[in-house]
Amino acid sequence: MELKTNHAAPVLTDPPSISKSRLGLHSSLLPYSQQGASFSSGKYINIPRKKPGKLDDVRSNGWLDAMKSSSPPRKKLNKDFNIEVASDDVDNAYCSWMLKHPSALNSFERITNFARNKKIAIFLDYDGTLSPIVDDPDRAIMSNAMRSAVRNVAKHFPTAIISGRSRDKVYDLVGLTELYYAGSHGMDIMGPLTNTDSNDHPNCVKSTDQQGKEVNLFQPAREFIPMINEVFRTLVENTKGIKGAKVENHKFCTSVHYRNVDEKNWSTIAQIVHDILKDYPRLRLTHGRKVLEVRPVIDWNKGKAVEFLLESLGLNGRDDVLPIYIGDDRTDEDAFKFLKKKKKRGYGILVSPGPKETSAFYSLKDPSEVMEFLKSLVRWKEEEEEAN
Ligand SMILES: O=P(O)(O)OC[C@H]1O[C@H](O[C@H]2O[C@H](CO)[C@@H](O)[C@H](O)[C@H]2O)[C@H](O)[C@@H](O)[C@@H]1O
């Protein structure tokens, strides 16, 4: 592929950026990244609400655009984004983007040079990162080779999975006891019990894990469980006539999948979720890959979860620590932003086969490259240990 950096490259956003003021949006309908949350556990985000009675249609408020642009297969980029470019231009766009977000594999030596004499902490998203995206969320099975790569990484570095799925579900899928797990986009964290400030955090309780080991359980949205259950049941009921729709209950949030729904019914799905949110002002919408997610309006996300876990591990804010976060989705951007905040605090790595707006520093194409990167880290660490 030829590199042409002077070409005006179309960088694709996922979902597309929408002018709030132009559309006069109900802010709970906006993609999460547009809402500007700030840290403070358990506090609500201050979201100005529209006057009741003035409801947007899902078409005019940008939901449908965001739904269409979520998770486009690379070969369909031009069509899905209505960009009139030849496929060479898409390749050029990708190359230009790669200059800004180089491959973590090609930059491996740079990464390890920076990591030398530092303690690395690894944070991994699940879907699209450790397992490829598939049509049925229940069949997103991680390969044994990937499991073994993650197990080996965890032998050398503290390692956590940060997923949008419920913590129990992602634990069942990964099946490794040596990791820390954060489910429901970080709203359900099982971390180490240590003598750090994180133990005194409100919403933190001592608990035991599957092996009976004492752990720290942090659930800042606990009070929302009955509400999420109620919304889950209503969503199941209201979408049951839509072929291919699937609703998941993640305990602190709920997801409505439309990957397998005929595109002509997407507006119906959107309208159903939109109508439910009208009745629950303490819940809001975020967009994932062909999924609408309903979650509490609390100031908590995957970035906060990374900070919390680093704090629990006694690793937060230290110059001798290098956190690395690998993820593929919009919700991973909060973690990338957290690592980027202070210069060189850590590396975000976006998993994407095409250009995407991101706060990640590096990129990897797909889960097989993620596995290669994890294996390389282990090899490097073992060589370092042997040499010392
Ligand atoms: O934070 P993650 O671990 O990446 O979880 C995000 C969502 O992942 C799952 O949905 C996605 O993967 C499915 C399986 O490949 C795919 O069918 C779906 O279209 C994707 O959105 C999970 O089912 C969701 O509930 C998570 O929120």
Side-chain angles (χ1 to χ4, degrees):
M1 229 174 344
E2 201 192 342
L3 264 175
K4 283 187 197 160
T5 51
N6 57 352
H7 185 85
V11 173
L12 308 173
T13 61
D14 177 14
S17 52
I18 303 153
S19 158
K20 283 185 250 185
S21 53
R22 183 170 58 82
L23 295 169
L25 293 186
H26 186 306
S27 53
S28 74
L29 310 184
L30 291 169
Y32 183 45
S33 57
Q34 291 176 283
Q35 293 181 4
S38 65
F39 182 93
S40 94
S41 104
K43 279 192 194 155
Y44 299 113
I45 300 172
N46 186 13
I47 295 184
R49 299 234 149 221
K50 260 183 100 172
K51 285 195 186 106
K54 280 202 159 191
L55 293 170
D56 293 320
D57 171 71
V58 291
R59 249 170 258 279
S60 64
N61 67 22
W63 279 38
L64 271 184
D65 288 340
M67 286 169 81
K68 280 179 190 158
S69 69
S70 86
S71 200
R74 181 159 158 67
K75 59 179 186 298
K76 281 174 66 196
L77 284 175
N78 299 354
K79 182 173 167 280
D80 282 3
F81 288 87
N82 284 328
I83 297 170
E84 287 181 19
V85 284
S87 58
D88 269 2
D89 290 338
V90 174
D91 286 344
N92 288 337
Y94 189 46
C95 290
S96 303
W97 182 81
M98 289 285 283
L99 291 176
K100 284 205 253 160
H101 307 282
S103 158
L105 282 174
N106 296 344
S107 314
F108 193 73
E109 211 180 316
R110 247 184 114 180
I111 294 174
T112 48
N113 281 342
F114 187 67
R116 194 152 288 128
N117 302 322
K118 289 189 171 68
K119 193 172 169 65
I120 293 180
I122 301 286
F123 298 92
L124 301 164
D125 166 55
Y126 183 77
D127 290 278
T129 298
L130 297 182
S131 79
I133 293 293
V134 291
D135 283 347
D136 180 357
D138 294 334
R139 301 184 76 88
I141 310 294
M142 182 179 170
S143 68
N144 285 334
M146 181 66 97
R147 185 167 295 103
S148 143
V150 176
R151 183 186 289 115
N152 289 335
V153 154
K155 282 182 191 154
H156 297 285
F157 315 107
T159 303
I161 307 288
I162 319 262
S163 173
R165 292 176 181 259
S166 75
R167 183 169 47 79
D168 287 348
K169 214 177 277 175
V170 78
Y171 173 77
D172 286 347
L173 288 165
V174 176
L176 295 171
T177 53
E178 50 272 71
L179 312 181
Y180 304 109
Y181 290 87
S184 312
H185 297 293
M187 288 182 283
D188 187 5
I189 306 179
M190 194 173 261
L193 198 64
T194 53
N195 293 324
T196 63
D197 288 350
S198 62
N199 289 352
D200 307 326
H201 221 287
N203 301 310
C204 226
V205 291
K206 268 191 201 168
S207 183
T208 46
D209 68 7
Q210 285 86 346
Q211 286 69 49
K213 194 174 76 203
E214 276 213 316
V215 288
N216 209 355
L217 190 61
F218 180 64
Q219 298 178 325
R222 197 161 245 290
E223 61 174 299
F224 287 88
I225 295 174
M227 194 187 282
I228 293 292
N229 283 333
E230 198 175 278
V231 169
F232 167 71
R233 283 193 298 269
T234 313
L235 284 169
V236 170
E237 183 58 29
N238 294 0
T239 57
K240 72 178 180 208
I242 303 174
K243 195 167 165 244
K246 184 178 172 86
V247 188
E248 285 182 298
N249 188 343
H250 299 306
K251 192 167 179 177
F252 299 101
C253 53
T254 180
S255 307
V256 185
H257 291 271
Y258 56 92
R259 182 173 293 279
N260 304 316
V261 173
D262 192 317
E263 200 170 325
K264 70 176 189 305
N265 292 326
W266 288 7
S267 56
T268 313
I269 292 259
Q271 200 63 50
I272 288 168
V273 178
H274 180 279
D275 290 347
I276 284 187
L277 283 176
K278 276 188 297 181
D279 296 334
Y280 294 90
R282 293 171 73 203
L283 300 179
R284 68 196 170 98
L285 171 87
T286 58
H287 291 267
R289 300 181 70 165
K290 299 281 185 265
V291 66
L292 298 176
E293 304 194 282
V294 175
R295 57 157 90 178
V297 184
I298 63 161
D299 188 10
W300 199 262
N301 55 45
K302 287 186 173 186
K304 301 279 166 75
V306 170
E307 184 171 19
F308 180 88
L309 277 165
L310 283 171
E311 192 65 54
S312 309
L313 291 160
L315 302 177
N316 197 27
R318 280 174 41 181
D319 288 342
D320 61 343
V321 172
L322 178 66
I324 296 179
Y325 186 104
I326 312 181
D328 71 314
D329 209 348
R330 286 305 299 175
T331 58
D332 298 311
E333 290 297 326
D334 294 310
F336 298 149
K337 277 183 205 139
F338 167 70
L339 296 183
K340 200 182 167 186
K341 229 191 271 169
K342 275 193 191 152
K343 217 179 164 203
K344 291 190 179 163
R345 179 192 257 172
Y347 290 136
I349 304 178
L350 176 72
V351 184
S352 174
K356 250 191 193 179
E357 232 169 60
T358 183
S359 294
F361 196 89
Y362 289 112
S363 67
L364 288 168
K365 270 202 180 105
D366 52 29
S368 70
E369 286 205 356
V370 173
M371 185 164 78
E372 202 41 55
F373 179 77
L374 297 178
K375 283 172 154 178
S376 304
L377 271 182
V378 170
R379 270 197 302 273
W380 167 75
K381 187 68 185 172
E382 286 173 350
E383 279 164 23
E384 285 275 292
E385 282 167 0
E386 248 177 58
N388 292 318

